Amino acid sequence: MPAFRILVLFAALLSTACASVQVHGVVRDEQGDPVPGAVATVRDTATGAVVATGASNANGCLDLFELVKGRQESFALRVEAPGYREAVFRFPRREEPTLLVTLTPAAGTAESTVRPIPWDEREATYRLYCVSAVPPGAGMLGVR
């Protein structure tokens, strides 16, 4: 009977502690050029607590990953860069969005936007610039 109690306790801990938030995407300006150094912050919408932060690289690529408490259910991504209007996107915990963030000039009237990248656009919009190719055999242990 003690083994069963330990198993139930372990399952309860896993259900409340094992969760993550992931966001992938590309940050561009209105002309489609990358915006390097755009700061991205993910917050828990219930508490406002910062869950993950990062910045876009030279190609405008953005990849955030962080383990979170199991009770956090929804998040807000905010992307900011000097000279641009901020962009905000809300998503539930169980989503792992791949996004196209388009930042507009702060002096303009247009709002910055965030939209999910559909599967048929991901190769040209995200993977081509943001996912490095793995050389053959790189994933195999002990191969030289």
Side-chain angles (χ1 to χ4, degrees):
M1 193 61 145
F4 179 72
R5 287 182 188 162
I6 291 171
L7 184 60
V8 170
L9 178 62
F10 184 69
L13 287 173
L14 282 178
S15 69
T16 60
C18 290
S20 65
V21 61
Q22 292 186 49
V23 177
H24 309 285
V26 180
V27 183
R28 296 184 177 167
D29 63 15
E30 288 180 307
Q31 288 73 41
D33 295 324
V35 178
V39 175
T41 305
V42 176
R43 292 182 183 272
D44 177 350
T45 56
T47 66
V50 173
V51 174
T53 60
S56 58
N57 68 13
N59 290 331
C61 302
L62 181 65
D63 288 299
L64 300 175
F65 172 84
E66 194 65 45
L67 295 175
V68 296
K69 294 178 182 177
R71 297 191 189 276
Q72 295 171 310
E73 291 298 324
S74 64
F75 302 96
L77 168 72
R78 180 178 304 247
V79 180
E80 303 170 285
Y84 294 96
R85 291 178 177 258
E86 69 181 23
V88 177
F89 182 78
R90 288 174 173 67
F91 61 100
R93 178 183 61 159
R94 289 172 182 84
E95 270 187 32
E96 297 175 6
T98 301
L99 305 169
L100 175 60
V101 179
T102 304
L103 298 180
T104 58
T109 58
E111 295 294 320
S112 292
T113 61
V114 182
R115 71 170 176 85
I117 302 172
W119 284 104
D120 59 340
E121 287 182 29
R122 285 194 186 169
E123 185 65 38
T125 306
Y126 174 71
R127 286 189 191 107
L128 181 65
Y129 303 99
C130 301
V131 179
S132 59
V134 177
M140 299 173 62
L141 295 176
V143 176
R144 293 181 187 226

